């Protein structure tokens, strides 16, 4: 079977678990060399071994992309170590939910720093390399895929600031898409509904119970479902751009 991303390099943030972990495996399976960016180096190392054992090429890049300097260094380490950059997947995120009155301002700041500023920092550093890849790379196209959320298009009570960050991601993605379209750097946003990952476990038990009650016993998406969507976007022909992809569990209202 043809490996459609052979000769390309991808950088995936938040690769230590969940959607990022699955996306790294998906892109590696399509032939891309993958830079694994995240804060939990032990998990990144385990993932790198899994990719290498399957015949892929990878680079472990421990980094906290909430600072512009660390994000830029992660991009430069990717280019230095793997030779180029063709695909950026901005996946790193945090979801801390609860009522707005009396909320912990530190929780809000952490979500803004990771969900929005981390994405902006990494994108800013990556754009020159992606423009170059689109001009002279094997595919003559490059991709930025931003993982937003259903909360990036719908607002829900108890999720105000998380929703604000994801609306920001969706809006930024569309504006940037318009800026880079003429240079064949495609900008896409993926908006998952409920996915069975550890993201919701960062919340208190009461909030997790609220989420479970609101969803009932539906069959949630798996990380691999979103990774498949990212793979679909990145493997389209040069003239095809998927600007926005909303992926819900079948039973989610």
């Amino acid at each position: 079977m043809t490996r459609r991303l052979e000769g390309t390099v991808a950088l995936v943030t938040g690769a230590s678990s969940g959607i990022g972990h699955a996306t790294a495996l998906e892109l590696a399976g399509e032939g891309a060399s993958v830079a694994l960016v995240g804060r939990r180096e032990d998990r990144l190392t385990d993932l790198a071994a899994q990719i290498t054992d399957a015949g892929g090429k990878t680079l472990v890049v421990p980094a906290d992309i909430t600072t512009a300097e660390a994000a830029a260094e992660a991009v430069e380490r990717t280019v230095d170590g793997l030779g180029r950059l063709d695909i950026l997947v901005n996946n790193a995120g945090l979801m801390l939910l609860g009522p707005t009155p009396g909320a912990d301002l530190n929780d809000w700041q952490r979500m803004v720093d990771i969900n929005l500023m981390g994405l902006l920092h990494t994108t800013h550093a990556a754009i020159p390399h992606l423009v170059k890849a689109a001009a002279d790379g094997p595919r003559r196209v490059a991709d930025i895929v931003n993982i937003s959320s259903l909360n990036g298009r719908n607002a829900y009570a108890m999720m105000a600031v998380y929703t604000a960050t994801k609306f920001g991601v969706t809006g930024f993605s569309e504006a940037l898409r318009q800026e880079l379209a003429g240079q064949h750097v495609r900008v896409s946003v993926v908006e998952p509904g409920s996915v069975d990952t550890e993201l919701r476990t960062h919340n208190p038990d009461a909030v997790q119970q609220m989420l479970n009650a609101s969803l009932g016993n539906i069959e949630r998406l798996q990380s691999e479902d979103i990774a498949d969507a990212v793979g679909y976007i990145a493997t389209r022909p040069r003239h095809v751009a998927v600007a926005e992809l909303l992926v819900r569990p079948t039973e989610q209202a």
Side-chain angles (χ1 to χ4, degrees):
M1 186 174 69
T2 302
R3 287 161 35 112
R4 292 171 289 184
L5 298 178
E6 197 76 48
T8 69
V9 172
L11 185 161
V12 180
T13 70
S16 60
S17 66
I19 292 170
H21 181 282
T23 296
L25 290 173
E26 173 73 20
L27 298 179
E30 287 285 1
S33 300
V34 186
L36 310 173
V37 178
R39 291 183 289 187
R40 293 176 287 188
E41 186 173 0
D42 57 335
R43 293 195 181 190
L44 299 179
T45 301
D46 290 344
L47 175 57
Q50 188 175 350
I51 291 172
T52 301
D53 289 347
K57 185 176 182 181
T58 187
L59 179 70
V60 172
V61 185
D64 179 355
I65 59 168
T66 59
T67 70
E69 295 78 12
E73 182 181 357
V75 170
E76 292 308 314
R77 284 188 60 187
T78 297
V79 175
D80 291 345
L82 297 176
R84 56 186 302 110
L85 181 59
D86 302 84
I87 301 164
L88 170 64
V89 181
N90 283 308
N91 165 74
L94 181 64
M95 182 179 71
L96 301 173
L97 308 179
T100 301
D104 186 338
L105 294 178
N106 290 324
D107 287 349
W108 289 5
Q109 189 65 59
R110 289 171 64 199
M111 284 191 287
V112 170
D113 287 346
I114 296 175
N115 299 356
L116 193 54
M117 295 310 301
L119 180 148
L120 297 180
H121 294 325
T122 310
T123 301
H124 183 269
I127 284 173
H129 301 288
L130 295 168
V131 169
K132 183 177 186 300
D136 63 15
R139 303 184 307 152
R140 296 180 58 238
V141 69
D143 287 285
I144 299 171
V145 184
N146 294 328
I147 307 300
S148 182
S149 169
L150 179 59
N151 290 72
R153 56 163 60 202
N154 296 330
Y156 300 98
M158 309 288 281
M159 304 181 181
V161 176
Y162 178 72
T163 296
T165 64
K166 293 303 186 178
F167 263 75
V169 169
T170 299
F172 171 74
S173 300
E174 173 56 21
L176 185 62
R177 182 196 67 78
Q178 295 175 31
E179 291 186 40
L180 297 180
Q183 295 166 283
H184 282 89
V185 177
R186 304 181 294 203
V187 182
S188 308
V189 62
V190 178
E191 298 162 328
S194 182
V195 186
D196 187 17
T197 72
E198 68 178 44
L199 196 64
R200 68 179 184 276
T201 66
H202 300 153
N203 291 278
D205 288 344
V207 173
Q208 294 187 53
Q209 290 169 10
M210 175 200 73
L211 289 173
N212 290 335
S214 67
L215 290 167
N217 294 320
I218 71 168
E219 183 178 2
R220 291 180 171 87
L221 299 172
Q222 299 300 307
S223 297
E224 291 76 12
D225 298 319
I226 306 305
D228 181 63
V230 175
Y232 174 81
I233 289 169
T235 56
R236 293 310 87 203
R238 183 175 187 255
H239 68 285
V240 178
V242 180
E244 186 176 13
L245 192 54
L246 171 61
V247 187
R248 285 190 181 97
T250 300
E251 299 169 275
Q252 187 172 5

